[in-house]
Amino acid sequence: PVRLMKVFVTRRIPPEGWAALARAADCEVEHWDSDEPIPAKELERGVAGAHGLLCLLTDRVDKRLLDAAGSNLRVISTMSVGVDHLALEEIKKRGIRVGYTPDVLTDTTAELAMSLLLTTCRRLPEAMEEVKNGGWSSWKPLWMCGYGLTQSTVGIIGLGRIGQAIARRLKPFGVQRFLYTGRQPRPQEAAEFQAEFVSTPRLAAESDFIIVACSLTPATKGLCNKDFFQQMKSTAVFVNISRGEVVNQDDLYEALTSGQIAAAGLDVTTPEPLPTDHPLLTLKNCVILPHIGSATYGTRNTMSLLAANNLLAGLRGEPMPRELK
């Protein structure tokens, strides 16, 4: 009989991906049967002897876990675009192939960025609360005023796929000017928006709205810190949909409480989940969501199917639909 390849899946995944794995006659699939993250000890036990691992961005795949997996492991497929939870150097050293899920969540994440931006700049959670607590007494000229996008300058940190998709959605709102920053100029991509490549300090100083859409790298970790917020306009709104560690949250709290900046909207934090007693959660001018950028049924199903197909192709020695090079 043909020896089945062992696959370990670190969570319940959406049905389309699970169905693809279940149909794989050459694989024996085990999974952590929960919607909650797998404990480290259980992950080490589950991955032992596995040929393939399908993981999520909440699973840290480091040297210790790779050692626990053993020499059989030859494919890791993550159901995410971000790969900062993977020890890539160590993985590469061992000749393990890596699949990921870019492109499929670009539009969904851009939609969420727009939702978060509008929710924050127009103070929607505050307004809803005023309706509920009796604060809505009558129409008042300046009550609950926020900031509009028309004729504004928008700065985007990271003009990759998601950054471009956000800019594309912002154009019809009448944004006057786009600025962007990143590792290098991207003239071809920027041309669609007549976006200008500028330094990070200049983007901070000139933007009415700033959206962080970059990858987490050593260069971007802590990029948005005290100096950054001090350079921003006092009327500016800051939005982060990338990774929590790009922002120094203590410095952001100080900027929001001192009136240095007007408001912030975050879909990502450090840590995740953010403790319920975190100081940022006490602020009216800070909207925080639980990392739901890709959270539509369609997108999550597509992500799970791509992650499954990456894994199966890698195990069979075939080209992966999306392999991290």
Side-chain angles (χ1 to χ4, degrees):
V2 176
R3 183 164 173 260
L4 297 180
M5 293 179 285
K6 179 184 172 182
V7 168
F8 188 72
V9 184
T10 64
R11 196 86 65 90
R12 288 179 196 147
I13 61 171
E16 289 187 22
W18 184 251
L21 293 176
R23 288 192 299 268
D26 53 352
C27 292
E28 180 185 2
V29 183
E30 292 180 32
H31 77 297
W32 177 249
D33 190 15
S34 173
D35 290 325
E36 297 301 319
I38 184 170
K41 286 291 179 193
E42 289 294 329
L43 179 53
E44 288 176 19
R45 183 201 59 76
V47 80
H51 299 84
L53 172 67
L54 196 157
C55 65
L56 278 62
L57 54 80
T58 48
D59 304 312
R60 186 149 295 284
V61 181
D62 53 16
K63 185 179 185 299
R64 177 172 171 161
L65 186 67
L66 295 169
D67 288 342
S71 58
N72 280 348
L73 188 64
R74 57 179 191 261
V75 183
I76 296 168
S77 177
T78 181
M79 194 178 126
S80 65
V81 177
V83 292
D84 46 281
H85 58 301
L86 307 179
L88 292 176
E89 279 188 35
E90 188 65 32
I91 290 166
K92 191 174 181 182
K93 198 189 300 180
R94 297 174 189 228
I96 298 169
R97 296 172 70 185
V98 176
Y100 69 136
T101 60
D103 299 329
V104 296
L105 50 72
T106 298
D107 289 331
T108 315
T109 306
E111 288 172 6
L112 192 278
M114 290 296 303
S115 305
L116 184 55
L117 176 61
L118 291 167
T119 297
T120 304
C121 73
R122 294 300 300 270
R123 303 170 63 185
L124 300 191
E126 277 185 83
M128 291 164 68
E129 191 56 37
E130 291 297 293
V131 174
K132 291 177 184 176
N133 66 21
W136 182 17
S137 57
S138 66
W139 188 91
K140 303 165 196 169
L142 290 176
W143 186 62
M144 292 309 308
C145 283
Y147 299 94
L149 290 163
T150 306
Q151 298 297 303
S152 68
T153 295
V154 172
I156 299 176
I157 298 177
L159 198 67
R161 285 181 292 260
I162 293 172
Q164 291 166 54
I166 293 167
R168 206 165 284 127
R169 284 159 174 76
L170 280 168
K171 273 181 80 173
F173 281 85
V175 171
Q176 186 174 51
R177 185 167 163 248
F178 287 99
L179 306 176
Y180 75 101
T181 190
R183 281 190 296 263
Q184 71 254 335
R186 307 186 70 159
Q188 199 171 335
E189 293 85 349
E192 181 182 347
F193 322 106
Q194 290 84 52
E196 184 183 354
F197 182 75
V198 297
S199 67
T200 302
R202 188 175 156 202
L203 181 140
E206 297 184 17
S207 299
D208 300 301
F209 303 94
I210 293 173
I211 303 169
V212 184
C214 59
S215 302
L216 177 62
T217 67
T220 61
K221 187 174 182 177
L223 176 71
C224 301
N225 56 17
K226 185 174 183 177
D227 289 344
F228 181 90
F229 296 125
Q230 283 179 340
Q231 289 157 348
M232 285 174 61
K233 299 178 182 181
S234 61
T235 53
V237 174
F238 175 84
V239 169
N240 183 19
I241 52 95
S242 62
R243 285 289 185 269
E245 288 179 282
V246 175
V247 178
N248 182 312
Q249 289 176 175
D250 293 338
D251 293 347
L252 176 61
Y253 177 81
E254 179 61 32
L256 289 166
T257 52
S258 66
Q260 210 165 69
I261 67 173
L266 311 174
D267 184 42
V268 287
T269 60
T270 305
E272 292 183 357
L274 196 65
T276 54
D277 61 353
H278 195 281
L280 283 172
L281 293 172
T282 66
L283 304 181
K284 288 185 176 182
N285 59 342
C286 187
V287 178
I288 300 179
L289 304 179
H291 201 154
I292 56 170
S294 64
T296 66
Y297 291 110
T299 294
R300 292 284 171 85
N301 260 304
T302 304
M303 287 173 71
S304 74
L305 181 58
L306 178 54
N309 286 338
N310 280 336
L311 185 76
L312 294 171
L315 288 171
R316 293 164 183 164
E318 300 166 358
M320 287 185 186
R322 281 308 206 168
E323 183 168 4
L324 189 72
K325 298 295 186 183

